[in-house]
Structures are given as C-alpha cells and as structure tokens.
Amino acid sequence: MTHILLAAALFTPAATVFAAPIDDAAPFPTRAKAAAADIPAPARTDKTPQALASTRTSPTLSDRALGLAAGVNRFLSPALALDLPAEAIGTPVAEDSKVKTVLQKALALLGTPYRWGGADPDKGFDCSGLVGYVFRNALGIELPRVSRDMARSGELVTDRAKLAAGDLVFFGRKGRVNHVGIYVGDGRFVHAPSRGKDVTVSSLDQGYWSGRFLQARRVSADGT
C-alpha cells in the first residue's frame, strides 16, 4: 500500500501553482541565501536511547533514493521496465544497453533532494548536476556543467514525437534554457525540479513543464 501511494504521489498531475525552478544557467543573485538554505537545521538536544539509535541507523540520501526507486519502478510505464528491445525505446546513446544504463542510474536517484550547485547523491543535485552525474557515471561522458551549455551538445531532436529514452530535454522561457532533465519514455522525464523538492519523474505533456519545453538533444556514445 505504501508503494502504491508513493507512486500515485509521483505521477499525479502537478497542482496549478508550482514553484519556479532555480535557474542553474544564470548568475545567482542570492548566493548567500542559497548557502544558508543548505545549512542543516541545528541538531536536536534529545539524547534519549531511542534518539541515539535512530541517529546511528539513519540511511544516507543515496540509500533513501535507492529504496524509493525500488518501490516506484514497478508502477512505471512498460517503456521504463528496462527490458524492451532497442526499437521499443530508441537508442539515443548508440546502444540499447547504454540507454538502460542511463535510465537505471537516473531512476536510482529518485528521491534525492534538490541542492543548488549540487552534483553528489549524498548531498543533493541541481538539474544539470543530476544529468551530468548520470552520464558521467553511466557512460563516462562529461557534459557541460550548466543546462544552457548542455543545450548545445549532441544532436537536436526536431520532432518531439521522435523523442527516445535517454534524450536530454530542456525547458525555459522566451527561448532561454534554464532547466534540463532526462527523457525516460511515455512522455515523462526524470529531473531535479527546484529547492524543496526531490529528484522525480514529471510529464512533458501536462502541468507546469508542458508549457516550458524548448528542445531536446540526443547525446552520442562519445558525448558529442
């Protein structure tokens, strides 16, 4: 029952009000505030045995993300089951096995908290930090650090209907890219949305992101 509720929460259409994503590609005007927001809350002074035991057994963020992904994957669309042939999900990084590696790495990070400038599963990710981490660790590909520069990498996918799993999808306003995610199939993509939210799967076709999609790019096996 917990897994069903969790999956429902992830894939329920977004509310009409959605916090705008942090623009990882722009000069950040409130860096001091961002740093302050990243400082953990002061530790509780409760020293009861129960509290100490809870502290000792608390999982890392990466453990939490892996546990969340395990519970969610059963409810994802067939395109995300990672056992379909190449022609079923496309081959954006040269081979079906490499596509699967990218998707597995990305989905294993579901639930990791957003952190501006973050590129570490145990500390958090911003949108381009997540994408860069996945491609670096899955395929050894080094992508540009920020989304606007990633949007110049790879091959432009001009037909949205031909998006394939593993493609990079870019969002923004007035033609200016400020957000990136990884397409996973079935009109969905995995990304790190904004401060206060976790790495999640969202829809390209409805909700906040549907009106902000700008373009998609297909990265080859050599990162070009």
Side-chain angles (χ1 to χ4, degrees):
M1 177 63 74
T2 300
H3 291 165
I4 293 173
L5 293 175
L6 178 57
L10 279 173
F11 302 119
T12 300
T16 55
V17 178
F18 193 101
I22 299 295
D23 184 349
D24 77 333
F28 196 71
T30 56
R31 188 166 303 197
K33 292 182 180 179
D38 290 333
I39 297 174
R44 293 179 57 187
T45 57
D46 184 355
K47 299 299 183 181
T48 64
Q50 292 88 343
L52 292 174
S54 176
T55 301
R56 286 195 297 269
T57 60
S58 178
T60 65
L61 294 180
S62 56
D63 289 338
R64 173 189 170 206
L66 287 169
L68 178 60
V72 168
N73 283 343
R74 293 192 298 114
F75 301 98
L76 298 180
S77 67
L80 303 190
L82 307 178
D83 56 4
L84 297 180
E87 60 267 27
I89 60 174
T91 54
V93 286
E95 298 175 7
D96 182 41
S97 62
K98 292 183 178 180
V99 176
K100 291 178 182 179
T101 301
V102 167
L103 297 187
Q104 288 170 334
K105 183 66 69 174
L107 292 173
L109 297 168
L110 290 173
T112 305
Y114 181 95
R115 180 171 181 169
W116 184 79
D120 184 328
D122 287 324
K123 295 180 180 179
F125 292 106
D126 64 13
C127 65
S128 55
L130 171 69
V131 172
Y133 177 89
V134 168
F135 275 78
R136 183 183 313 113
N137 286 273
L139 302 177
I141 292 175
E142 287 291 340
L143 294 173
R145 178 59 183 89
V146 296
S147 59
R148 68 168 177 237
D149 293 333
M150 286 183 181
R152 302 186 185 101
S153 302
E155 174 189 358
L156 181 66
V157 180
T158 56
D159 186 350
R160 181 165 166 173
K162 294 182 178 179
L163 280 172
D167 287 348
L168 303 184
V169 286
F170 296 92
F171 306 84
R173 297 185 64 188
K174 299 180 179 179
R176 186 182 186 282
V177 170
N178 62 20
H179 193 70
V180 61
I182 301 171
Y183 189 68
V184 295
D186 195 33
R188 301 181 186 277
F189 64 102
V190 60
H191 65 136
S194 61
R195 185 177 296 122
K197 298 183 179 295
D198 298 338
V199 173
T200 190
V201 174
S202 298
S203 173
L204 281 174
D205 302 318
Q206 56 185 305
Y208 178 86
W209 301 103
S210 62
R212 288 163 176 79
F213 175 81
L214 294 179
Q215 62 166 290
R217 291 273 174 173
R218 186 161 299 164
V219 179
S220 67
D222 62 3
T224 58

